[in-house]
Structures are given as structure tokens and as C-alpha cells.
């Protein structure tokens, strides 16, 4: 069974803290994505990666960075957490090529920044 | 105007009803259309995937694309309480632009 695992289900952090969200997939997928999901705003793409050590900005990259040192792992970093980054964060992966839009999602991390 | 519009609901139906969920879009270049289902406190999962126009059926689910009207639908026959979830539509253009455009999702409750 395919699996995308996010390291934490719930996370509470203080304003200004550096926050790491980890995501691991076991499907040998080329593509990995970080989204945030907010009521009334839906899913918004933060960053994505089509290969190891490659990254591209999504729609809302400000305040975030990413790291992909290994194919199976994609990390999202909040350099200095702010209250407007309180959200549900979803990691996803997909095969490369024509079917890259068939995304497999993790269960999400609900991040609260106080 | 958003590229993809989806009524957020909530939609509440009795068990066994036929459910119709819809999205409209403005960009005629969209060629790939998807429906994802998201249960509470879970990530979305791909339910249906269609290319261009036409219908696709999978069990109790039918996805329909009407490109002339820029309208996509998901029909659920014999709805079950286990179908209670949020349904998100997503779409993208053909070619190298791989970006998915998402609807906001419709919340569905199927009551026993």
C-alpha cells in the first residue's frame, strides 16, 4: 500500500521559532509537493520538487523554504514562524511524466503558531 | 474571478440518494480533470481522473466533463454514509505547465 508519511499530526510552536515539517514517501516517486489548506482558501501550493536537490516555488513560497536531499524525503522549513502560518500542511507525491497530477497525500500536520 | 468555482455546501442527503457535485471553470485550456475525496482530518485521495471531454464510470461514481460549458460533475449513485467527506475538483492544462488548479471543495453529508 502506498504511503506518504508526515512526521507530526499536530504541532504547536511559538512566533519566531524555526519549524521543520518532514515528509517521507515509500513509492519511489519523482515529484513531491507541499501544500497548505485553509478554510475559504482551499489548497495552495507552497513548493514542489521534481527531482533530488531540485525545488520550484509554488503560489505562496514567502516565509518558507524546502530541502530535498534524498528522493524519498521532502522537508518544509518555516524560518521564523508567524501566526499567519497557522494552517494544515499537506505533503504529496506523484510519479513523474504525464501522470504527475495523480497525487498521493499524507494525513497532514496541523500547525498552530502562538 | 477564480479559475475554478465550486459550491462549498454543505450538502446533506439521505442514504441511497443520487448526489451531483459540480465545478465550473474559466480557462478553456484545461484538459485534465480530477476529483479528490477528503475525509475529516485526512489528506485528499484521488477518486476519478478524466482527460478532455466525456464520461468515466467507476463503480458508483461517474465523472462527467462538458468542455463546451466549462463544467465538470461527479455523480454518486446509491450514496452511503461512508461517502460523507469533502470533494475537491482539480484540473490542469495540457503541456509542460503541470500546475494543478483546485476548487475549494464541497462538503457532503450522507445521513443514514
Amino acid at each position: 500500500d502506498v504511503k506518504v508519511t508526515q512526521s507530526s499530526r499536530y504541532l504547536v510552536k511559538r512566533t519566531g521559532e524555526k519549524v521543520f515539517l518532514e515528509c517521507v514517501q515509500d513509492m519511489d516517486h519523482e515529484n513531491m509537493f507541499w501544500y497548505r489548506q485553509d478554510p475559504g482558501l482551499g489548497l495552495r501550493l507552497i513548493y514542489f520538487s521534481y527531482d533530488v536537490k531540485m525545488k520550484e516555488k509554488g503560489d505562496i513560497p514567502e516565509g518558507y523554504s524546502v530541502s530535498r536531499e534524498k528522493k524519498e524525503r521532502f522537508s518544509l522549513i518555516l524560518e521564523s514562524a508567524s501566526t499567519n502560518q497557522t494552517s494544515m500542511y499537506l505533503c504529496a507525491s506523484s510519479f513523474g511524466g504525464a501522470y504527475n497530477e495523480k497525487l498521493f497525500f499524507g494525513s497532514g500536520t496541523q500547525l498552530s503558531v502562538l | 474571478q477564480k479559475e475554478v468555482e465550486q459550491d462549498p455546501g454543505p450538502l446533506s442527503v439521505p442514504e441511497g440518494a443520487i448526489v451531483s457535485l459540480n465545478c465550473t471553470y474559466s480557462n478553456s485550456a484545461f484538459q485534465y480533470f480530477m476529483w479528490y475525496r477528503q475525509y475529516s482530518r485526512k489528506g485528499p485521495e484521488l477518486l476519478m481522473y478524466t482527460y478532455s471531454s466525456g464520461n468515466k464510470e467507476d463503480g458508483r461514481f461517474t465523472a462527467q466533463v462538458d468542455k463546451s460549458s466549462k463544467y465538470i460533475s461527479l455523480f454518486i449513485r446509491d450514496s452511503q454514509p461512508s461517502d460523507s467527506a469533502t470533494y475537491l475538483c482539480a484540473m490542469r492544462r495540457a503541456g509542460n505547465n503541470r500546475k494543478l488548479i483546485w476548487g475549494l471543495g464541497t462538503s457532503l453529508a450522507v445521513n443514514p
Side-chain angles (χ1 to χ4, degrees):
Chain A
D1 199 18
V2 297
K3 205 148 187 184
V4 177
T5 303
Q6 294 185 231
S7 52
S8 305
R9 288 301 308 272
Y10 301 95
L11 213 51
V12 179
K13 296 292 181 181
R14 296 278 181 199
T15 302
E17 278 193 76
K18 191 168 186 175
V19 181
F20 294 87
L21 302 182
E22 305 286 343
C23 176
V24 177
Q25 50 95 2
D26 65 359
M27 296 166 282
D28 202 34
H29 283 169
E30 287 80 9
N31 308 322
M32 295 189 76
F33 307 81
W34 275 106
Y35 284 89
R36 63 179 283 179
Q37 187 174 33
D38 301 285
L41 296 175
L43 279 167
R44 292 182 290 168
L45 182 62
I46 304 171
Y47 267 98
F48 57 102
S49 168
Y50 289 138
D51 201 352
V52 177
K53 296 192 186 294
M54 290 183 64
K55 60 185 179 185
E56 292 189 40
K57 292 179 180 179
D59 297 318
I60 51 163
E62 298 79 18
Y64 303 94
S65 62
V66 291
S67 172
R68 194 167 180 201
E69 296 296 318
K70 293 185 177 181
K71 190 175 186 180
E72 67 271 17
R73 188 179 296 268
F74 193 35
S75 302
L76 179 70
I77 303 149
L78 286 66
E79 296 290 341
S80 177
S82 63
T83 54
N84 63 11
Q85 292 178 310
T86 292
S87 184
M88 169 68 81
Y89 289 88
L90 289 159
C91 175
S93 70
S94 70
F95 288 109
Y99 298 102
N100 69 81
E101 64 271 9
K102 294 186 177 181
L103 301 181
F104 295 85
F105 282 87
S107 291
T109 296
Q110 180 63 52
L111 173 67
S112 296
V113 182
L114 306 178
Chain B
Q1 184 193 4
K2 289 184 177 153
E3 280 192 278
V4 177
E5 299 276 2
Q6 186 176 9
D7 187 336
L11 187 60
S12 182
V13 301
E15 183 175 353
I18 296 174
V19 176
S20 172
L21 303 166
N22 310 297
C23 287
T24 58
Y25 61 94
S26 56
N27 190 339
S28 57
F30 287 138
Q31 292 281 353
Y32 300 90
F33 304 92
M34 288 131 272
W35 286 96
Y36 282 79
R37 177 177 61 195
Q38 185 175 21
Y39 290 116
S40 181
R41 291 185 292 278
K42 295 283 188 182
E45 57 179 332
L46 182 66
L47 199 57
M48 299 289 281
Y49 172 89
T50 53
Y51 169 69
S52 196
S53 286
N55 290 2
K56 184 173 183 179
E57 190 172 320
D58 184 2
R60 296 185 294 110
F61 298 90
T62 300
Q64 196 172 76
V65 176
D66 182 348
K67 292 190 72 181
S68 61
S69 302
K70 298 193 187 72
Y71 191 87
I72 68 170
S73 299
L74 177 70
F75 297 98
I76 307 174
R77 289 184 300 281
D78 187 27
S79 56
Q80 302 295 309
S82 59
D83 295 326
S84 299
T86 297
Y87 291 81
L88 301 117
C89 64
M91 51 197 78
R92 78 162 180 92
R93 293 177 280 190
N96 291 329
N97 186 335
R98 311 182 210 193
K99 182 179 174 182
L100 284 184
I101 308 299
W102 295 85
L104 293 184
T106 299
S107 175
L108 171 67
V110 180
N111 305 303

